Amino acid sequence: MTELATPPVERDQDVKRISHWIGGRAVEGQSGRSGPVYNPALGRQTGEVDFATREEVDLAVQTARKAFPAWRAMSLSKRTALFFAIRELFDHQREDIARFLTAEHGKVLSDALGEVARGLEVIEYCCGIPELLKGEFSEQASTGIDVYSIRQPLGVVAGITPFNFPAMVPMWMWAPALACGNTFVLKPSEKDPSASVYTAELLKEAGVPDGVFNVVHGDKVAVDSVLEHPDIAAVSFVGSTPIARYVYETGTKTGKRVQALGGAKNHMIVLPDADIDMAADAAVSAAYGSAGERCMAISQVVAVGDAADRLVKAIEERLPKIKVGNGLEADVEMGPLVTREHRDRVASYIDGAREQGADVLADGRENTPEGEGFFLGVSLLDNVTPEMDAYKDEIFGPVLGVTRVGTYDEAVQLVNDNPYGNGTAIFTRDGGVARQFQFDVQAGMVGINVPIPVPVAYYSFGGWKNSLFGDSHVYGPEGINFYTRGKVVTSRWPEPATSKVDLGFPQTR
Ligand code: NAD
C-alpha cells in the first residue's frame, strides 16, 4: 500500500476568525466552541469559525422575524429592482466569490467560477418574481362572486448546506426564499463558511435590509436549534443521506415544511453504439471534476457488451493528462480533497476494492503533487461488482468504478436497484433506446449523452429514493412553491348604488 503523508497541521499566526452575521453585521460567537477551516491545497489552517449556541440561533431567528413584515410588504416592483441589483453585484464580484471557494474548498478556480455562474442563473430566474407569484382569477364563479388565488411567503425560513458547493447551494435557497418575501437564516458548512459571510456582505451592499439575511455557523447544536425552533416555518437541507433523513424527520416532527436532499451514486451507462471518445471525455470530467466532490459526479460507469474494453482504454489514456495541484494555478484541472480525513477515507476505498476483487488500473496515491495539501490523484477501478464497498458507498472523491454488464436491461436494473436516485446518464446513438431509458430509469435527473444533467434554473433540481426526503425539489417552480403557501379568496361586493351615484358614464348592466 502507498502511504500518504500526514504532517501535523500547521496553525498560522494569522488564522482569521469567521463570525456569525445577524441583523446586517458580523456578530462574534460567545459559545467558546469553534472549528478549524483549512486551505486544502496548502494543508494549513487559515480560519477558525464560531459555532453557534441555541441562544445565538434564536437571536438570528428573532432578528429575521422582526425584518419579515416590512420585507414581505415591499412591492413586487421594488423587490424585482433589488434582485436586479443583487444580480449585478454578484456578477461583478464573481471572481472574488470564486476565490473564497478555491481557498477553503480547494476546487480549481475555473470550476469555482462555474459554480458561481450556475448560482447566478437562479438569481436571474428570481428577477422574474412578479411573474412567478401570479395567481389565478375566476370572475363570476357564482352570481356576483369572484374567486382568486394568491401565494404568500411563509415567514422565517432556514437553509442548511454542504461543503461541496459553498456559494451555489445557498443561492438555490436564499434567492427564491427572499424573492418570495421570506426572511432567511443560513447555516452553511463549517468546513468552508467564508463564502456565506461574503454573500451576506454583498446582499447588504446591494440594498437588502438588515435582518432579512442572516448566517449562523456551527455543527449539530446549530442544526438542532434550527430544526426545533418554533419560529422557523421551513427548512431546506442539502447534504449526505443520513443527515438528510435526520433533518427531514426532526424538522417535520416539529411541524415544519422540509425539503432534504441527500447523497448520490450516479451511474453512467455506455452502450456499444456510443461515441466512445465522447463518452470517455464525459466520464473523465464528470468523475474527476471538483475532485469527485459533486453530488452529480459520475462515480460508476456501467459499460455494456463490447463497449467496455474500448471505453476503459479511452479513459485510461486520458488520465495522465489530468494535472492535479493548487486550484489557483492556471493549468491545474483538479484540486485537493476538502480535508485530510476525507482524503484518507477516499483513498481507503482503493485498497478495499483491490482486496474485494476489483482491478486497480490507476491508484491516485501514486500521482499526488508534492507538499502538504490534501491531494489525491485520480483512481480508476475496473470489474467493480455491486457487492463491493466501492460500489455500495458514496465515495465522494476522484475514484471512478467500471462495472461490466452484458445488456441494456442489466444496466438499467443496476441503476434501479441502487438506493440512491439523484442523477444518471446514458451514452448511445440510438434515440429509441435513449427514450426508453428516460421512461425506465428511477432517478430524478437524467442525461442523454450529457454526464451531469443539472437542470437549468427554470426547472427544479432533485433526486429520487435516498437522494431526497420530502416531496419538493429545489429552485425553479418547485422552489417558488416550497417558499410560499397558497390562499384562495372568494369575494362578493354589495351591488353598486347606481341609482344614487352618478358614475359619469352609461351603465350597461
Ligand atoms: P453533511 O451531511 O456532512 O453536512 C451537511 C450539513 O449538515 C452541514 O451544514 C453540516 O454542518 C450539517 N451536519 C453534519 N453532521 C450533522 C449532524 N450529525 N447533525 C446535524 N447536522 C449535521 O454533508 P457534506 O459532507 O457537507 O456534503 C457532502 C454530501 O452532500 C454528499 O453526500 C453529497 O452527495 C451531498 N450533496 C447532495 C446534493 C444534492 O443535491 N442531492 C448536493 C450537494 C451535496
Side-chain angles (χ1 to χ4, degrees):
M1 148 164 187
T2 316
E3 285 296 325
L4 292 163
T6 53
V9 171
E10 185 189 319
R11 197 176 154 161
D12 243 6
Q13 290 298 73
D14 54 353
V15 166
K16 71 170 174 177
R17 182 167 184 182
I18 302 161
S19 301
H20 313 303
W21 183 276
I22 300 173
R25 63 184 185 87
V27 174
E28 290 198 349
Q30 302 299 319
S31 70
R33 292 196 317 121
S34 58
V37 176
Y38 300 100
N39 180 322
L42 306 177
R44 203 173 68 205
Q45 185 178 354
T46 53
E48 186 76 24
V49 60
D50 290 337
F51 283 3
T53 58
R54 199 165 276 271
E55 291 69 31
E56 285 162 337
V57 171
D58 181 56
L59 176 66
V61 175
Q62 296 314 330
T63 305
R65 203 169 153 216
K66 279 199 202 90
F68 175 65
W71 178 247
R72 79 160 281 215
M74 181 185 272
S75 71
L76 283 174
S77 59
K78 282 200 180 127
R79 216 185 294 151
T80 301
L82 189 45
F83 258 81
F84 272 92
I86 294 170
R87 192 264 164 207
E88 288 305 293
L89 189 57
F90 278 71
D91 181 37
H92 191 256
Q93 300 304 113
R94 61 168 79 202
E95 182 151 345
D96 285 354
I97 304 171
R99 283 183 183 278
F100 278 113
L101 309 184
T102 300
E104 292 184 355
H105 174 284
K107 62 180 71 178
V108 300
L109 194 60
S110 57
D111 196 31
L113 283 164
E115 168 175 350
V116 180
R118 294 308 306 262
L120 264 170
E121 289 173 17
V122 175
I123 298 177
E124 285 160 8
Y125 175 77
C126 292
C127 290
I129 194 64
E131 178 71 23
L132 299 170
L133 284 183
K134 259 158 73 172
E136 293 172 318
F137 193 99
S138 300
E139 187 185 47
Q140 198 76 341
S142 187
T143 306
I145 290 187
D146 302 327
V147 180
Y148 51 96
S149 64
I150 48 187
R151 296 206 70 84
Q152 297 187 332
L154 306 176
V156 180
V157 300
I160 302 166
T161 52
F163 80 81
N164 66 325
F165 285 104
M168 181 188 76
V169 170
M171 286 178 191
W172 288 358
M173 301 174 183
W174 64 253
L178 261 51
C180 291
N182 303 280
T183 53
F184 201 84
V185 176
L186 174 64
K187 205 305 282 173
S189 170
E190 66 279 26
K191 296 194 177 95
D192 42 20
S194 290
S196 294
V197 179
Y198 190 53
T199 293
E201 289 171 4
L202 290 179
L203 288 175
K204 184 178 172 86
E205 191 181 332
V208 173
D210 292 348
V212 170
F213 179 83
N214 307 278
V215 182
V216 286
H217 301 289
D219 55 0
K220 184 169 164 51
V221 173
V223 170
D224 286 345
S225 309
V226 165
L227 295 177
E228 289 159 17
H229 202 293
D231 294 325
I232 292 180
V235 175
S236 300
F237 172 89
V238 175
S240 60
T241 288
I243 311 298
R245 183 182 282 116
Y246 169 76
V247 165
Y248 184 75
E249 289 175 358
T250 314
T252 51
K253 210 177 284 170
T254 60
K256 295 181 195 346
R257 199 178 272 205
V258 181
Q259 51 180 186
L261 282 70
K265 188 81 186 178
N266 305 310
H267 294 57
M268 170 175 148
I269 296 176
V270 181
L271 297 183
D273 72 341
D275 178 330
I276 294 294
D277 281 329
M278 182 194 197
D281 284 341
V284 166
S285 71
Y288 305 120
S290 204
E293 292 172 325
R294 291 177 177 148
C295 63
M296 288 292 276
I298 292 295
S299 51
Q300 195 62 43
V301 161
V302 184
V304 179
D306 69 8
D309 286 343
R310 290 179 289 137
L311 181 67
V312 168
K313 182 167 171 280
I315 293 175
E316 265 190 298
E317 282 167 6
R318 285 160 170 77
L319 299 188
K321 296 177 201 140
I322 301 172
K323 187 166 177 212
V324 182
N326 187 326
L328 289 178
E329 288 166 23
D331 55 344
V332 166
E333 285 166 288
M334 196 180 100
L337 280 289
V338 68
T339 59
R340 172 171 295 120
E341 295 70 32
H342 184 55
R343 188 266 316 263
D344 293 348
R345 184 185 159 273
V346 170
S348 73
Y349 280 95
I350 305 167
D351 290 323
R354 185 185 283 117
E355 282 156 20
Q356 292 174 4
D359 298 317
V360 179
L361 303 184
D363 183 332
R365 294 165 298 185
E366 287 163 6
N367 52 26
T368 55
E370 293 289 301
E372 296 175 4
F374 309 143
F375 291 107
L376 180 66
V378 298
S379 297
L380 181 64
L381 313 176
D382 196 4
N383 292 307
V384 173
T385 58
E387 305 74 41
M388 297 177 185
D389 292 330
Y391 183 89
K392 285 190 289 198
D393 297 352
E394 180 185 32
I395 300 175
F396 220 55
V399 180
L400 177 63
V402 178
T403 299
R404 296 169 178 241
V405 297
T407 64
Y408 163 85
D409 287 340
E410 284 173 67
V412 173
Q413 193 66 45
L414 268 183
V415 181
N416 288 352
D417 285 347
N418 198 273
Y420 296 107
N422 216 37
T424 186
I426 192 165
F427 278 70
T428 178
R429 286 190 166 93
D430 187 328
V433 175
R435 187 170 181 276
Q436 188 61 41
F437 179 68
Q438 79 189 30
F439 185 82
D440 291 334
V441 78
Q442 291 169 20
M445 294 167 282
V446 177
I448 295 172
N449 297 314
V450 171
I452 302 195
V454 174
V456 288
Y458 41 97
Y459 285 79
S460 299
F461 179 109
W464 286 13
K465 302 190 274 186
N466 284 352
S467 297
L468 175 77
F469 298 86
D471 51 9
S472 176
H473 292 193
V474 286
Y475 69 75
E478 294 196 36
I480 301 299
N481 267 347
F482 182 78
Y483 292 120
T484 53
R485 50 188 167 178
K487 191 180 262 181
V488 177
V489 181
T490 303
S491 86
R492 171 163 56 201
W493 292 98
E495 288 276 306
T498 46
S499 53
K500 295 182 197 141
V501 182
D502 180 5
L503 294 174
F505 52 84
Q507 298 299 294
T508 53
R509 298 175 75 242

